[in-house]
Amino acid sequence: MGWAIALHGGAGDIPRSLPPDRRQPREAALRHSLQVGVAAIKAGRSPLDVVELVVRELEDHPHFNAGRGSVLTSDGTVEMEACIMDGNTKRCGAVSGLTTVKNAISLARLVMEKTPHIYLGFDGAEAFARDQGVETIESSHFITPENIERLKQAKEANRVQIDYTEPLTKVEEAPPSNGDSQLGTVGCVAVDGKGNLATATSTGGLVNKMAGRIGDTPIIGAGTYANKLCAVSATGKGEAIIRATVGRDVAALMEYKGLSLKEAATYVIEECAPSRTAGLVAVSATGDVAMPFNTVGMFRACATEDGYTEVAIWDDETCS
Amino acid sequence: MGGWAIAVHGGAGVDPNLPRERQEEARQLLTRCLNLGISALRSSLSPIDVVELVIRELESDPLFNSGRGSALTAKGTVEMEASIMDGIGRRCGAVSGVTTVKNPISLARLVMDKSPHSYLGFSGAEEFAKQQGVEMVDNDYFITEDNLGMLKLAKEANSIIFDYRIPLTGSDICEKATDAPPLKMNGLPISVYAPETVGCVVVDGQGRCAAGTSTGGLMNKMSGRIGDSPLIGSGTYACDVCAVSCTGEGEAIIRGTLARDVAAVMEYKGLGLQEAVDFVIERRLDGGGQAGLIAVSSKGEVACGFNSVGMFRGCANEDGFMEVGIWD
C-alpha cells in the first residue's frame, strides 16, 4: 500500500533519434508535472484534485498534444477533449469539441460536479464554459508552429497515398521531420495511501482529423476509467482504444480473472490492442503502477511512496 | 442453440399509467420491427444490415424516443445520437449532436464504413452527412406535439420539489401503479420521462453478432449533452461472443460500462448470456441507477434484463420463440 502516481504525455512512433532540443523540454515537463503531482499527494490533496492539477500542467505545456500544443483538425483548427473519473463513486465528467477553453480537464470536472450530465460537447460545452466562468482564450493560443507543420505533412502524406496508391503502412513509416506526429494525449492516474483512485486524460486528438471527430479520451471505459480497483489513462490511436475498451478491460481483468494490475495492463496492451496503437498508465488501489505500451515509445513518468521515480520515453520497463 | 436470434427495445423506464392504447401501439411497433428483422435474417442479410434496417424503422416511427419523436433539448430542438457495432472485428461507428439527418443510425454506419474515424459529433457529423449525401430534413421533422407538451411538463417539474402523486387511471395496467412515492428516472417524473433510446441486437446462423442504439436523449437536456447511446462499451457493444444494446439512465449505464460488461463477464468469468445479463443488471447499476438491456449471444441465445419499471422490448429466435413485452 502507499500512494502512487503515473502520468503520460502520449504514446506513438517516437523515434529514438529524437533530437535533444525536442526531447529535453518534454522530459523536463514530465519531471516537473510529476513533482507537482507528488507534492500535491504529499500535501494530502485528493487523487481527483491531483490528477486534475497534473493534467492542467501538461495541457499548458506546448509540447504535448493537449491544450496548448494540441494537434490540428483538417480545417487547421483545434478541437480539444478531456475526461476525468473518480474511482470510488465512478462519477465522471467529459467534454469534446472545445476551442477556447484553456484547460479542458477542468471543464470536464465541472461537468461532473455542476451538471446532472456526464458529457457535454461542442457548442454546448463552450456555452457551459462561459456559464461557469472558466478561463477561455482565443483559439490561436493553442496552435503552435510545430502543429501547423505536422498538419501540412499529414496532408501531404495523404496526397502521396492517393496519388501513388501506396499502402498506408509504407507512408506512415516515412518519418516526418519532427518524428512524432502520431502523438496523442496526456493523462494522469493517482492513488492515495487509503486506496482512493482517480484518472484524468486530455487531448487535441488526431492530426488532420475530420472536424467533429471524437477519440477515445472522453469515452468512459476506453481512454479513461477508474473504479475501486484501479485507475487507467490510455493514449494512442483512438479508434483502436475504443474498440478494445482499454480502460475498462484492465479493471475487468483484475476483477473477473483476478489478474494483478501489471498482468492486466500488459495483457490489454499486448493482446487486445493492435500493435503500434496504444499505451497506458495505471495504478491500483494497493499502490502498484503499470505503464505498458506497444508503440515505439511513450512519454511517461511515475513515482511511488517508497521513493521510486521514473521518467522515460522508450523501453519496456514498467515500474515494479 | 445455434440459429439466428434478434431482440429490439424501445426504452426502459415506462410510466405505469401509460394508457392502454399507447401500450398497444408500442407492442405493434415492436412486433412489426421484429418481423422486419426476421425477414431480413431469413433473406441472409448480415447482422449489421439487419440492425441498421430495424433501427431505421424505429427511428422513423414517432412513438419511441429516437429520430422522429425524439425527446427535446432545453431549447426545444432535437439532438440525436446513435452507435452501431459489428461483432466481427469489433468495428464501430457513432454520431452525436445530429440535427438534420433523418436516420442517425445510418450515419453512424457510414462513419464506421466510410470515414477513418469511429465517432463524429455535431457540425462535423452534419458536414460528413452532407458529403455522404444522406437524407437530410429540417429539425422540425423530428419534433412531435407530444414531446413539446412533455418538454413543458419537464421544465415545470424541474422547478418544483417532487412532492406530488402521479394520478392513477387504472390498476390493471401495471402492478407498480400503486400508492407508492412518485417514480422518477433521471430526475424526471416518470410521466414526463421519455424512455430513452431504441436498439436492436442480432446474431445470424453463423454466430456473428451486431448491435445498434439510437436516441434523442434526455428530455430537457442541456444542448450538447451526450448520453450513453453513442458510447461504445456503455450503450452499445458487440464482439465475437455477444451483442448488447442498453437503455435507461445514461449516467448509470456509462458508469457501469454496461454493454461491455455483459461481454466481459462472459469472456472473463465464463458466464452464459442470461447469467451475464442478470449479473450486470444486479451488480453494475450501483447507486440506484435504473436501466435495461437486450442481448444476443453467438450461440443463438437471446436475453433481456432491466431493473426499471418496464422496458419496451421484443425478442425472437429461429426456434420460433417470439415475445413482445413492456412489464416484468
Side-chain angles (χ1 to χ4, degrees), chain B residues 32-45:
Chain B
R32 193 171 87 231
C33 291
L34 267 186
N35 284 329
L36 188 66
I38 291 169
S39 298
L41 276 163
R42 289 193 177 132
S43 319
S44 303
L45 244 58

Side-chain angles (χ1 to χ4, degrees), chain B:
Chain B
M1 289 300 188
W4 55 257
I6 176 171
V8 299
H9 74 74
V14 186
D15 183 356
N17 294 297
L18 190 68
R20 288 194 160 251
E21 316 87 68
R22 293 292 296 256
Q23 292 186 49
E24 195 42 41
E25 277 174 354
R27 282 181 218 269
Q28 281 173 15
L29 177 57
L30 291 164
T31 304
R32 193 171 87 231
C33 291
L34 267 186
N35 284 329
L36 188 66
I38 291 169
S39 298
L41 276 163
R42 289 193 177 132
S43 319
S44 303
L45 244 58
S46 69
I48 195 99
D49 284 341
V50 178
V51 164
E52 185 186 355
L53 194 68
V54 170
I55 292 182
R56 283 176 66 97
E57 187 67 25
L58 289 161
E59 284 171 340
S60 303
D61 195 297
L63 190 65
F64 293 137
N65 175 7
S66 70
R68 192 152 171 260
S70 279
L72 305 180
T73 69
K75 300 192 299 195
T77 57
V78 160
E79 282 177 13
M80 299 167 290
E81 44 197 17
S83 63
I84 194 166
M85 190 163 187
D86 193 350
I88 307 159
R90 288 173 298 157
R91 298 182 315 124
C92 44
V95 290
S96 279
V98 167
T99 54
T100 62
V101 173
K102 192 153 176 275
N103 290 100
I105 193 70
S106 295
L107 189 64
R109 174 127 192 225
L110 286 168
V111 171
M112 178 175 86
D113 288 341
K114 298 281 166 73
S115 88
H117 301 319
S118 294
Y119 188 9
L120 290 179
F122 297 84
S123 44
E126 293 274 320
E127 190 50 48
F128 176 68
K130 279 195 198 87
Q131 285 165 18
Q132 293 292 314
V134 303
E135 194 174 353
M136 323 244 325
V137 293
D138 281 339
N139 200 248
D140 288 345
Y141 162 85
F142 304 104
I143 300 174
T144 60
E145 283 300 318
D146 265 0
N147 280 323
L148 282 169
M150 290 300 197
L151 180 63
K152 194 153 163 291
L153 290 175
K155 286 183 183 287
E156 282 164 14
N158 269 349
S159 63
I160 56 175
I161 312 294
F162 295 121
D163 200 20
Y164 61 93
R165 298 287 164 117
I166 298 168
L168 301 173
T169 55
S171 57
D172 61 342
I173 292 170
C174 163
E175 67 193 32
K176 294 237 165 63
T178 60
D179 276 336
L183 294 168
K184 286 192 289 174
M185 288 269 301
N186 256 326
L188 288 170
I190 197 131
S191 53
V192 303
Y193 176 77
E196 284 181 58
T197 319
V198 299
C200 179
V201 291
V202 167
V203 59
D204 68 9
Q206 290 142 57
R208 306 177 306 170
C209 305
T213 314
S214 177
T215 189
L218 190 58
M219 184 66 76
N220 200 26
K221 66 183 179 181
M222 288 169 75
S223 174
R225 178 262 191 182
I226 294 172
D228 64 288
S229 300
L231 303 187
I232 296 296
S234 289
T236 305
Y237 190 74
C239 59
D240 51 14
V241 158
C242 65
V244 185
S245 169
C246 305
T247 165
E249 295 185 310
E251 203 205 20
I253 294 169
I254 293 171
R255 282 163 49 206
T257 50
L258 235 54
R260 172 56 183 134
D261 267 51
V262 172
V265 298
M266 290 179 75
E267 283 175 89
Y268 299 148
K269 276 172 81 81
L271 297 195
L273 184 73
Q274 187 68 60
E275 282 182 290
V277 169
D278 293 341
F279 178 94
V280 165
I281 293 291
E282 276 162 43
R283 316 260 210 106
R284 284 286 160 265
L285 290 167
D286 42 277
Q290 295 181 75
L293 61 92
I294 53 174
V296 289
S297 75
S298 58
K299 295 183 183 161
E301 301 158 295
V302 61
C304 69
F306 55 97
N307 70 354
S308 51
V309 174
M311 177 169 77
F312 294 113
R313 69 213 183 264
C315 343
N317 67 21
E318 196 165 1
D319 291 337
F321 168 75
M322 180 147 156
E323 184 179 84
V324 167
I326 302 177
W327 313 114
D328 267 317

Side-chain angles (χ1 to χ4, degrees), chain A residues 90 119 121 212 214 248-249 255, chain B residues 121 224 226 255 260-261 284:
Chain A
K90 290 196 291 196
Y119 190 4
I214 294 170
R248 177 57 186 133
D249 269 43
E255 181 171 357
Chain B
I226 294 172
R255 282 163 49 206
R260 172 56 183 134
D261 267 51
R284 284 286 160 265

